[in-house]
Amino acid sequence: AVEVENLTKRYKNKVAVDGIGMNVFQGETLGILGTNGAGKTTTVEMIAGLRRPDGGRLSVMGLDPTRDRAKLRQVLGVQLQEGYLHGALTVNELLALYRSFYPAPRPHDELLRLVELQDKADVRFEKLSGGQRQRVSVALAMIGRPRVLILDELTTGLDPAARRRMWRTIEQLRDEGVTILLVSHAMDEVEKLCDRVVLLDAGRVLTIG
């Protein structure tokens, strides 16, 4: 589903990603681990087509994230660690807006149920708690029925019960055959959800398996 070969990214004098290579198989959940500054978020942002690599080769479902961005959006969903959404829009309005971007989006009510925000549907985004905002971001990432899903610090800001409910949602997506790249610091989350892990350090792959 995802092929990464000799991927590099530099910011001025800092090498953020230094020759990373890995494959993600269709239908598997791959955990991406590492300390802060290891290159995790930069790597997934390049896979998502949000940053242009300085070198190497990327393929997502046979598409080049830089060259095929319009096609990539139809098969890839992304929930970023820092998401910026219009605070004045309600949850319902955000879902309706994003559903309009796709030819066959998930049903509105199903999305609210998956992230358990039925009681917040008419609340403006700026009035939501941090954990509720995170759940909205996950719903928007799932809205287009993606074949590949990138989740960056999925359960940051969620209480223990909400974390476990979100895990069940991800397990349901995995059962549907969605390929998932999960960036996380939470070892219990990785152990619960991931088939394999890749460990990054200083922009390089230490091990994968």
Side-chain angles (χ1 to χ4, degrees):
V2 179
E3 297 177 271
V4 180
E5 294 182 5
N6 199 29
L7 190 66
T8 59
K9 183 65 180 179
R10 178 186 294 272
Y11 300 109
K12 295 184 179 177
N13 295 324
K14 176 179 173 57
V15 178
V17 175
D18 188 8
I20 283 177
M22 60 182 177
N23 292 328
V24 189
F25 303 111
Q26 291 193 31
E28 85 165 331
T29 300
L30 179 74
I32 301 178
L33 314 180
T35 58
N36 292 334
K40 305 183 301 296
T41 295
T42 299
T43 297
V44 296
E45 287 179 348
M46 287 190 286
I47 292 171
L50 300 174
R51 292 189 188 275
R52 183 183 293 271
D54 293 329
R57 190 183 76 86
L58 280 172
S59 173
V60 180
M61 303 305 295
L63 300 171
D64 182 297
T66 301
R67 189 176 61 244
D68 303 317
R69 289 189 66 181
K71 292 180 180 178
L72 184 69
R73 292 191 192 103
Q74 299 301 316
V75 299
L76 179 73
V78 183
Q79 170 262 320
L80 295 175
Q81 192 172 352
E82 296 288 340
Y84 299 96
L85 297 169
H86 199 302
L89 296 181
T90 66
V91 174
N92 269 336
E93 289 168 339
L94 284 166
L95 292 179
L97 173 63
Y98 276 68
R99 289 183 79 250
S100 71
F101 300 157
Y102 299 96
R106 281 184 181 269
H108 194 104
D109 292 344
E110 178 185 330
L111 285 161
L112 288 173
R113 187 175 66 255
L114 279 171
V115 296
E116 300 185 350
L117 286 175
Q118 300 95 318
D119 59 336
K120 302 295 181 182
D122 294 313
V123 177
R124 289 188 304 189
F125 185 76
E126 64 190 5
K127 298 295 185 182
L128 298 175
S129 70
Q132 290 163 349
R133 292 182 184 188
Q134 188 81 330
R135 281 186 272 165
V136 172
S137 296
V138 172
L140 298 180
M142 298 189 301
I143 214 163
R145 303 180 189 272
R147 297 169 65 187
V148 178
L149 185 61
I150 292 174
L151 302 169
D152 193 355
E153 299 295 343
L154 169 68
T155 55
T156 297
L158 301 187
D159 61 50
R163 289 180 76 222
R164 281 163 176 76
R165 289 194 295 268
M166 186 60 70
W167 292 354
R168 288 197 293 272
T169 299
I170 301 310
E171 287 174 327
Q172 179 177 332
L173 292 172
R174 185 175 61 187
D175 290 343
E176 294 175 7
V178 178
T179 303
I180 300 170
L181 281 71
L182 176 67
V183 177
S184 181
H185 285 110
M187 292 300 99
D188 57 343
E189 182 167 283
V190 170
E191 184 173 15
K192 174 73 172 173
L193 297 177
C194 296
D195 301 301
R196 293 189 302 147
V197 298
V198 56
L199 180 60
L200 303 184
D201 181 59
R204 296 180 177 179
V205 173
L206 284 185
T207 189
I208 185 168

